[in-house]
Amino acid sequence: MTQPPFIAVEGPIGAGKTTLSSMLAEELNLPIIKEIVEENPFLGKFYDNIDEWSFQLEMFFLCNRYKQLEDTGVQYISQNQPVISDYHIYKNMIFAERTLKGVKRDKYRQIYHVLTDDLPKPDIIIYIRASLDTLLARIEKRGRVFEEAMDTAYLEQLMADYDEAMASIALSEPETKIITIDGDIIDFVENREQFHTIASQLKELIHERIQHT
Ligand SMILES: Nc1ncnc2c1ncn2[C@@H]1O[C@H](COP(=O)(O)OP(=O)(O)O)[C@@H](O)[C@H]1O
Ligand SMILES: Nc1nc2c(ncn2[C@H]2C[C@H](O)[C@@H](COP(=O)(O)O)O2)c(=O)[nH]1
């Protein structure tokens, strides 16, 4: 039996994940699972010194996402309720593979698999891509102080890592539907028509999948 749709909005930092997932949740009346960022005690320290703080930060993100998906994701799925999230659990690996090295990376990989292998995985991914200039402009617009120390090369590397990760999911999970949005061209914030095109496409996919559940 297929599960009711679990939708994840993904993309590099500043792509518009939280914005788009919140808009879609409201438009389609879906419950939303949202990342908690402001209370993260390690992010500021991490951007000041990645090597020193990466393990603590990656573990913090992993444990929080695990707990959130365990508490709410599993509950919605078991009630046959479609749900949208502003992250995919695989995001942890995208970042950790970039920020961790050696023994810590090996340990992290093991813990990641132990915690996440039996979690429900999204079967629809909305992947927002955008150019470096667009991402930088949106990060600046958001104005989080701790992100001022972010290195541009780090963000550029993450953009490539995201492309690679999405290509790998497309190959290894052909049943997962990936909708790619060009965030430089499609403006779901300013252009209602463009937002409605995305919302209608998602509504149709949810409808199709519910019928097969
Ligand atoms: N399409 C868009 N056009 C203009 N501003 C946007 C757009 N998408 C997001 N933003 C703004 O960019 C910033 C980052 O968006 P956010 O949703 O927090 O990104 P993410 O969750 O991917 O890091 C926010 O200030 C948001 O209001
Ligand atoms: N090293 C990691 N950093 C992460 C991870 N998830 C999010 N983040 C950072 C990136 C941003 O500064 C901030 C919010 O993320 P958004 O993508 O929502 O803008 O947190 C992670 O797993 N590892």
Side-chain angles (χ1 to χ4, degrees):
M1 194 170 94
T2 20
Q3 66 179 33
F6 178 10
I7 306 126
V9 180
E10 261 302 355
I13 306 166
K17 299 176 291 294
T18 307
T19 308
L20 181 60
S21 51
S22 305
M23 290 169 75
L24 287 169
E26 196 182 332
E27 178 74 15
L28 304 185
N29 199 19
L30 296 171
I32 182 164
I33 302 174
K34 240 200 250 190
E35 184 103 85
I36 301 152
V37 174
E38 307 300 340
E39 290 134 53
N40 188 318
F42 300 113
L43 262 174
K45 295 181 175 111
F46 168 82
Y47 282 119
D48 288 338
N49 187 342
I50 293 190
D51 287 343
E52 178 69 23
W53 289 97
S54 52
F55 189 72
Q56 286 92 325
L57 180 74
E58 303 311 345
M59 286 304 300
F60 184 89
F61 271 118
L62 177 58
C63 293
N64 273 287
R65 291 180 183 135
Y66 167 74
K67 173 100 178 81
Q68 210 177 25
L69 291 176
E70 260 259 312
D71 287 353
T72 49
V74 171
Q75 184 196 328
Y76 289 127
I77 302 290
S78 68
Q79 289 168 356
N80 258 2
Q81 164 69 60
V83 57
I84 191 163
S85 161
D86 72 350
Y87 63 87
H88 187 304
I89 191 74
Y90 191 64
K91 175 178 189 168
N92 290 285
M93 284 302 280
I94 298 176
F95 279 87
E97 288 290 334
R98 187 56 54 200
T99 66
L100 299 176
K101 298 187 191 94
V103 177
K104 285 183 179 163
R105 183 160 61 181
D106 294 342
K107 286 189 177 166
Y108 181 90
R109 283 179 184 152
Q110 289 178 30
I111 300 166
Y112 172 84
H113 286 295
V114 169
L115 288 183
T116 68
D117 278 357
D118 59 356
L119 284 178
K121 301 289 185 307
D123 52 1
I124 301 173
I125 302 173
I126 301 178
Y127 173 40
I128 314 170
R129 299 184 78 244
S131 63
L132 183 63
D133 285 349
T134 300
L135 297 178
L136 288 171
R138 293 199 180 143
I139 292 167
E140 195 182 339
K141 178 180 171 192
R142 181 163 68 190
R144 286 182 183 146
V145 175
F146 56 79
E147 287 175 348
E148 283 168 12
M150 192 192 301
D151 188 351
T152 305
Y154 171 70
L155 182 59
E156 206 167 9
Q157 183 61 65
L158 283 173
M159 292 163 62
D161 294 341
Y162 259 100
D163 277 341
E164 208 176 293
M166 290 301 143
S168 153
I169 292 176
L171 266 184
S172 61
E173 299 171 23
E175 66 289 354
T176 302
K177 173 77 183 168
I178 303 178
I179 302 170
T180 303
I181 292 178
D182 184 337
D184 289 339
I185 296 173
I186 307 287
D187 191 335
F188 42 79
V189 174
E190 304 294 337
N191 187 324
R192 281 314 279 178
E193 207 179 313
Q194 289 182 341
F195 170 66
H196 278 297
T197 306
I198 301 169
S200 305
Q201 191 182 355
L202 185 59
K203 201 171 180 178
E204 215 167 285
L205 277 172
I206 293 174
H207 188 66
E208 261 171 35
R209 284 170 196 238
I210 285 178
Q211 283 183 325
H212 288 102
T213 303

